[in-house]
Amino acid sequence: KEDPEDLDAQLRAGLIYGEMKNYPRAIEQLTKILAIRPAELRVRDYLGLMYEEMKEYDKAIQSYEENLKLQPAYVDGHLHLGFLFYRLKRSTDAISHLNEVIRLNHKLADAYLLLGLTYLQAEQYAEASRTLEEGIRHNPGNPDLHFNLGTAYDKLNRFDDVVRAMETVLKLDPKHADALNYLGYSYAERGIKISEAVSLTKQAVSLKPNNGYYVDSLGWALFKMGLIEEAKAEITKATALVKDDPVIYEHLGEIYLTQNLLEEAKEAWLHSLELDPSNNKLMERYREKG
């Protein structure tokens, strides 16, 4: 009020509206600033983020693209567009912008991470692994690059490399819950190193007790260890935490079958197949068991 020309105060007010989730007011405030100073790239970045929060994605894209018209080599503009196009599953557009980020700044870990995730989303697994390996060359201490490289190796059926990648993550960050869960579940699924699988998934659950996927992994590891009642308790808990995951219900059905609870097994597997009708392996197992 005392100084209507103080754009810094106006910007701070706009950001506070954003923090308060009053996105329309934030957009109004930021738009006013841009009317006076149209070349303020950071302000237009914030405006784009507010439009994203409002799910007005076309306007967000327009904001970021306007920045790139003003400054084509603006790294953050390409990064914002890459991330938004990744979220919108527009892989080709995301890849184009993220490659440009890497060309402009070849050491930026987030660019390699996002580009790798986009290639994974597009089922281009070899490109994903190549991108993440390149990112690791520039950022060897980034655990998330190693973790996602491990998931890319998994898609390429390179299990020994998966293990090495996840072990590297856990050396860098012993409390990386995703890596603990991924490695533990991978062992359980393959029926190897079951004691280690239980230990790893228990650690993941202790870090994030309300993550239903981790609880399911622990239950599955316990099942592979032969601790059926304990496994059933964990996987039943997982169904309460995640209500729409077909794998959890597939696991629950398998446990019921082991206990000769055929009606319960049938119900769990039917629910799993309703959630994922493309699971031919489960359909065959369902038929096989009559």
Side-chain angles (χ1 to χ4, degrees), residues 38-221:
E40 291 283 345
L41 304 185
R42 293 281 177 204
V43 175
R44 198 172 282 104
D45 274 349
Y46 294 133
L47 180 62
L49 290 169
M50 295 303 101
Y51 280 131
E52 283 193 57
E53 293 291 351
M54 294 277 290
K55 296 185 170 50
E56 294 188 28
Y57 299 124
D58 288 343
K59 288 183 179 177
I61 291 166
Q62 188 180 343
S63 295
Y64 300 139
E65 286 179 340
E66 184 66 29
N67 273 354
L68 292 178
K69 283 179 196 168
L70 292 167
Q71 191 174 314
Y74 182 47
V75 170
D76 281 1
H78 288 291
L79 197 59
H80 282 308
L81 279 168
F83 181 59
L84 180 51
F85 285 137
Y86 164 71
R87 284 181 64 197
L88 297 173
K89 295 185 168 57
R90 288 173 55 178
S91 301
T92 303
D93 292 322
I95 287 165
S96 171
H97 283 284
L98 293 168
N99 272 318
E100 185 62 11
V101 174
I102 289 167
R103 189 186 71 78
L104 293 165
N105 181 351
H106 67 278
K107 291 186 177 180
L108 194 61
D110 282 352
Y112 290 102
L113 187 59
L114 269 173
L115 184 55
L117 288 169
T118 305
Y119 280 129
L120 283 168
Q121 184 184 73
E123 299 181 0
Q124 297 179 41
Y125 304 126
E127 280 299 314
S129 66
R130 183 195 62 75
T131 298
L132 293 161
E133 285 165 352
E134 182 67 18
I136 287 165
R137 274 194 281 279
H138 296 292
N139 304 274
N142 186 301
D144 291 331
L145 285 170
H146 288 280
F147 174 77
N148 285 287
L149 178 59
T151 67
Y153 285 150
D154 205 3
K155 296 292 186 182
L156 293 165
N157 296 314
R158 292 168 56 178
F159 182 63
D160 289 345
D161 290 326
V162 174
V163 173
R164 273 193 289 274
M166 295 302 163
E167 286 177 344
T168 301
V169 176
L170 294 173
K171 279 178 194 163
L172 293 167
D173 179 5
K175 292 186 175 181
H176 196 291
D178 281 343
L180 289 163
N181 176 69
Y182 202 101
L183 187 55
Y185 183 76
S186 297
Y187 286 149
E189 187 69 358
R190 287 165 177 80
I192 60 173
K193 298 188 178 181
I194 299 303
S195 294
E196 194 173 339
V198 170
S199 171
L200 289 163
T201 52
K202 270 185 179 173
Q203 288 178 68
V205 170
S206 72
L207 290 166
K208 295 186 179 178
N210 293 321
N211 186 308
Y213 301 103
Y214 295 177
V215 174
D216 171 65
S217 296
L218 173 57
W220 197 234

Side-chain angles (χ1 to χ4, degrees), residues 241-285:
L241 292 166
V242 184
K243 294 181 169 52
D244 59 353
D245 185 75
V247 174
I248 296 174
Y249 284 96
E250 183 177 352
H251 290 163
L252 185 60
E254 196 68 48
I255 290 170
Y256 283 138
L257 191 66
T258 302
Q259 295 184 312
N260 207 33
L261 298 169
L262 301 184
E263 277 305 310
E264 289 87 342
K266 176 181 173 181
E267 186 181 332
W269 277 358
L270 280 176
H271 189 48
S272 177
L273 288 167
E274 283 169 8
L275 292 166
D276 179 14
S278 67
N279 189 345
N280 294 324
K281 188 178 171 187
L282 178 57
M283 214 172 288
E284 285 304 313
R285 185 136 174 76

